[in-house]
Amino acid sequence: MSWRHGFRSARPARRRRRIGCLPLLAIIVAVIVLVAAIALRPRALPQPQSIAAAPPKSEVTHLRPVASFASIGDPQARSLALFAEAGRVIQHPRCMNCHPRNDRPTQTNAMRPHVPWVSRGPDGAGEPTLRCSTCHHAANFEASGVPGNPEWKLAPIEMAWQGTSLGEICRQMLDPARSHMDRAALLHHMAEDELVGWAWHPGGTRSPAPGTQAEFGALIKAWLDSGARCPA
Amino acid sequence: MSYQLVVNGRAHQIEEDGQTPLLWVLRDTLHLTGTKYGCGIAQCGACTVHVDGQPMRSCSLPLEAAAGSQIVTIEAVEGPEADALRAAWVKRDVPQCGFCQSGQIMSAVALLRVKSIPNDDDIDQAMSGNICRCATYNRIRAAIHDAAGSSSSPANPA
């Protein structure tokens, strides 16, 4: 007994509390998760969103009536003012999108390149392998949102408007070599052409051109009658 | 209202609203589900069918506009171009998920009927309206080249 007692005295008892690594790691991870959960908790619950019953109506803007230009005494200044007012339509995206500077139409009010990639083709209505009529038909189709018209096609490249000034557009319009129209045909195109008229009835949420086609046609007629002056 | 629709050579009397997209009629009424709904806004080409020989997006074509036309879907497209494309598709193992492929093939058939030996630009242009989310475009293009080399379209020289 003494030997055993002495042996114990020579090596004092060292009671080690053995704690494994895994419990410690679990505690650390739990603390991290708890802190992250507190830090990342949503400050507000997601709220349900309702879908509008109908697409928002685009704002209608008006054109100045021709009569309001009568007060401009100088015929040249009146002609220029009439064309400037008509230019609000001419330079509207509904018109400019079909007068691109290259073979690819643009779309939306941002006048971004048409998606998918399409090209005007030999007749302005698409390449034989990808016609406009692949998607665009005789009327706007609300189910798909794709606009349409029986005459859907691009203006000839000689009548590229994008990237040009209103004055240059004016000179293009009056040049039969580029517009392929005399003044009577030009007036008809602006005042009565059904495809041009689409710009006031574009469907969906597209913003229409200002005023009405009749008001626009009256402005063009008054401008032609007043000498068809072009801005610089 | 009632519309007569000729699909894959068979006449059908369809009792639907005239503004119903042709795609819904094909899939839900006639149960021709080979034509796929992809986007519904004529942006992806998965719903392409032939209407009087022209490729059209059936999601963007109202029933009333399709009535009276000859409509061909992937279930019945045939001819030397279709045969050649089918063989090339198998040989090249073109599809990945496959969802867009019926539309791809319908557009490719229409391309080869217009241009029997298309170059890369012709293919890219004709197929630009057909999107593949698996990005199998290189295999599609290669398969069209293969098919163009093996199909005979004497009526449509390049």
Side-chain angles (χ1 to χ4, degrees), chain A residues 11-34:
Chain A
R11 298 184 63 186
R14 294 170 60 190
R15 300 180 67 85
R16 296 180 180 173
R17 177 165 293 176
R18 301 187 63 180
I19 301 176
C21 292
L22 284 177
L24 273 176
L25 192 60
I27 292 170
I28 293 169
V29 169
V31 169
I32 292 173
V33 169
L34 184 64

Side-chain angles (χ1 to χ4, degrees), chain A residues 115 117 119 127 134-135 137, chain B residues 19 40-41 43 57 60 125 128:
Chain A
V115 177
W117 171 52
S119 185
E127 293 288 349
T134 303
C135 304
H137 303 295
Chain B
Q19 286 289 295
I41 54 173
Q43 288 287 293
R57 313 298 185 228
S60 184
Q125 182 153 68
S128 67

Side-chain angles (χ1 to χ4, degrees), chain A residues 36-209:
Chain A
I38 292 170
L40 299 177
R41 76 184 192 283
R43 298 298 189 271
L45 289 174
Q47 298 299 310
Q49 296 179 339
S50 58
I51 298 172
K57 295 294 180 190
S58 301
E59 186 179 348
V60 176
T61 55
H62 295 281
L63 292 170
R64 282 179 62 190
V66 171
S68 71
F69 293 85
S71 60
I72 304 175
D74 177 16
Q76 183 170 335
R78 186 166 67 251
S79 185
L80 288 170
L82 285 162
F83 191 76
E85 183 66 4
R88 292 178 54 213
V89 172
I90 291 167
Q91 293 189 302
H92 192 277
R94 293 290 82 72
C95 298
M96 296 287 274
N97 279 334
C98 293
H99 286 261
R101 70 176 82 183
N102 53 27
D103 289 339
R104 188 177 182 182
T106 55
Q107 57 188 173
T108 78
N109 281 2
M111 294 169 58
R112 70 173 187 211
H114 188 281
V115 177
W117 171 52
V118 292
S119 185
R120 70 171 62 246
D123 62 351
E127 293 288 349
T129 52
L130 188 58
R131 304 287 293 164
C132 298
S133 58
T134 303
C135 304
H136 299 276
H137 303 295
N140 299 332
F141 190 33
E142 295 301 327
S144 65
V146 176
N149 182 274
E151 300 298 323
W152 197 263
K153 64 182 178 184
L154 290 183
I157 189 67
E158 301 84 20
M159 283 299 288
W161 286 356
Q162 294 185 22
T164 63
S165 67
L166 187 59
E168 179 56 28
I169 292 172
C170 179
R171 285 180 282 278
Q172 277 180 315
M173 288 166 52
L174 295 173
D175 179 3
R178 288 185 284 176
S179 68
H180 310 289
M181 298 177 194
D182 60 18
R183 295 195 178 191
L186 177 63
L187 178 59
H188 174 80
H189 177 67
M190 298 299 203
E192 298 178 51
D193 188 300
E194 185 184 354
L195 180 56
V196 172
W198 173 88
W200 287 274
H201 308 282
T205 57
R206 299 172 196 88
S207 54

Side-chain angles (χ1 to χ4, degrees), chain B residues 117-135:
Chain B
I117 309 290
N119 58 31
D120 281 351
D121 288 342
D122 297 329
I123 294 172
D124 290 350
Q125 182 153 68
M127 305 297 291
S128 67
N130 289 84
I131 293 173
C132 173
R133 68 180 178 184
C134 304

